[in-house]
């Protein structure tokens, strides 16, 4: 961190600021120029609140040299992280494919889709039990009953389960019922939820917020990791832009940015990114081509009658075809499926 001081600052005030900063565990190296004084901070600056430093009236500007996220930062952890889930790895050479309906509807539906996606080669089953719907009148999910049905689908197929949590009060129920806890886009900055989830070891699938910058997204990962849960998988699911043709705008460049900035695995959700089922196969292939570690795809046996997100769900036969096409793209970028 570099702090530029206002011209003609009194030396006593510089000494006072230096003392305050050094009491927070960093070393302050002053540089005296003809016009300006610059303080260079060396050490772990993660606990220094830049906005508080900037509030000091002798401070002109604060600049970051290193990113504010530390545990998620590739600079301090150059090897790629692979998150282990029931004998599988997300972030390793083999791509992780998570597939299933937006929400669990009935035992028949979830079991049937689970069997179909497994047959096509998916490694994980998704299914929402608690749904974050825009309208309070829309289907809210089967909730605890949904978790039970997911557990049953896991018994039938052996597929690990991915499902979204909405409240810290459900952490025990989710720890029991699911293998990866999803934090949805709407909760990416629910810091109380993140803090609670940082206290457990369960892998967390952290979706990018609706309008979150890459740095904000990594800072949310940092919340999980700072509390001790390093099993974090990131998920790009499209962001809000001025474009309305698609539900969101899929930011594939974020995958390259994450790969440069962080060691955490990152996957892509082309279903929520576009809101259109017919865009899902091509964008899944594009995601693998740019280096995503996997995909999370909505698959429904009867999208026309789905209780949630039928318009963006592909059918099991479409999923099967996509998987065979993905094998070719994966091989071209040195991955397996
Ligand atoms: C979901 O995966 O079902 C979901 C609601 O996704 P998002 O949080 O990305 O909107
Ligand atoms: Mn959905």
């Amino acid at each position: 961190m570099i702090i530029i001081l206002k011209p003609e600052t009194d030396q006593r005030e510089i000494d006072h600021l230096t003392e305050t900063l050094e009491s927070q565990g960093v070393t302050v190296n002053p540089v005296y120029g003809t016009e300006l004084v610059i303080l260079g901070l060396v050490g772990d600056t993660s606990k220094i609140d830049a906005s508080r430093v900037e509030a000091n009236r002798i401070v002109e500007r604060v600049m970051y040299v290193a990113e504010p996220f530390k545990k998620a930062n590739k600079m301090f952890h150059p090897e790629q992280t692979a998150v282990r889930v029931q004998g599988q790895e997300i972030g390793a050479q083999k791509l992780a494919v998570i597939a299933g309906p937006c929400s669990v509807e009935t035992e028949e539906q979830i079991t049937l889709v689970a069997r179909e996606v497994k047959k096509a080669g998916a490694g994980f089953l998704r299914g929402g039990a608690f749904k974050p719907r825009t309208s309070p009148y829309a289907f809210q999910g089967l909730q605890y009953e949904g978790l039970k049905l997911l557990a049953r689908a896991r018994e039938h197929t052996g597929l690990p389960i991915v499902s979204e949590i909405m409240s810290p009060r459900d952490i025990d129920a989710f720890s029991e019922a699911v293998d990866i806890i999803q934090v949805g886009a709407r909760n990416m900055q629910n810091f109380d939820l993140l803090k609670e989830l940082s206290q457990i070891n369960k892998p967390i699938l952290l979706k990018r917020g609706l309008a979150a910058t890459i740095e904000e997204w990594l800072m949310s990962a940092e919340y999980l990791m700072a509390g001790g849960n390093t099993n974090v998988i990131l998920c790009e699911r499209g962001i809000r832009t001025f474009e309305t043709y698609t539900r969101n705008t899929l930011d594939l460049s974020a995958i390259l940015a994450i790969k440069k900035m962080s060691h955490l695995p990152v996957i892509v959700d082309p279903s929520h990114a576009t809101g259109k089922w017919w865009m899902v196969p091509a964008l899944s292939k594009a995601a693998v081509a740019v280096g995503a570690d996997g995909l999370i795809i909505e698959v429904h046996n009867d999208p026309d009658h789905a209780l949630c997100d039928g318009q963006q769900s592909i059918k099991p036969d479409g999923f099967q075809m996509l998987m065979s096409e993905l094998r070719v793209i994966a091989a071209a970028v040195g991955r397996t499926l």
Side-chain angles (χ1 to χ4, degrees), residues 71-74 77 79-81 225 258 261-265:
K71 293 193 184 327
N73 201 319
K74 194 169 182 164
H77 189 297
E79 355 31 272
Q80 166 72 36
T81 288
M225 300 176 87
I258 293 290
M261 296 159 88
S262 179
H263 53 91
L264 294 173

Side-chain angles (χ1 to χ4, degrees), residues 101-103 126 131 207 247 269 271-272 298 308-309 312-313:
C102 180
S103 37
R126 67 151 286 150
K131 295 306 305 175
K207 288 194 144 195
R247 183 172 179 179
D269 175 347
S271 313
H272 291 88
E298 286 189 340
C308 185
D309 287 350
Q312 64 192 38
S313 302

Side-chain angles (χ1 to χ4, degrees), residues 1-3 17-28 39-55 59 62-64 66-70 219:
M1 187 182 279
I2 289 172
I3 303 170
L17 177 61
T18 301
E19 238 171 74
T20 313
L21 292 165
E22 290 198 326
S23 71
Q24 294 171 71
V26 294
T27 306
V28 178
L39 305 180
L41 271 52
V42 182
D44 182 4
T45 54
S46 59
K47 295 197 177 63
I48 296 194
D49 182 344
S51 56
R52 282 188 65 182
V53 176
E54 216 153 29
V59 172
V62 176
M63 287 158 69
Y64 278 110
E67 291 94 353
F69 48 94
K70 303 288 171 204
M219 288 307 285

Side-chain angles (χ1 to χ4, degrees), residues 221-264:
E222 194 76 11
Y223 262 89
L224 294 165
M225 300 176 87
N229 190 347
T230 53
N231 297 311
V232 181
I233 305 147
L234 301 166
C235 177
E236 160 62 37
R237 46 77 73 205
I239 46 173
R240 278 279 167 86
T241 66
F242 53 82
E243 183 55 70
T244 54
Y245 185 76
T246 44
R247 183 172 179 179
N248 292 291
T249 298
L250 178 58
D251 182 10
L252 282 182
S253 64
I255 303 304
L256 290 110
I258 293 290
K259 287 286 165 200
K260 196 174 168 66
M261 296 159 88
S262 179
H263 53 91
L264 294 173

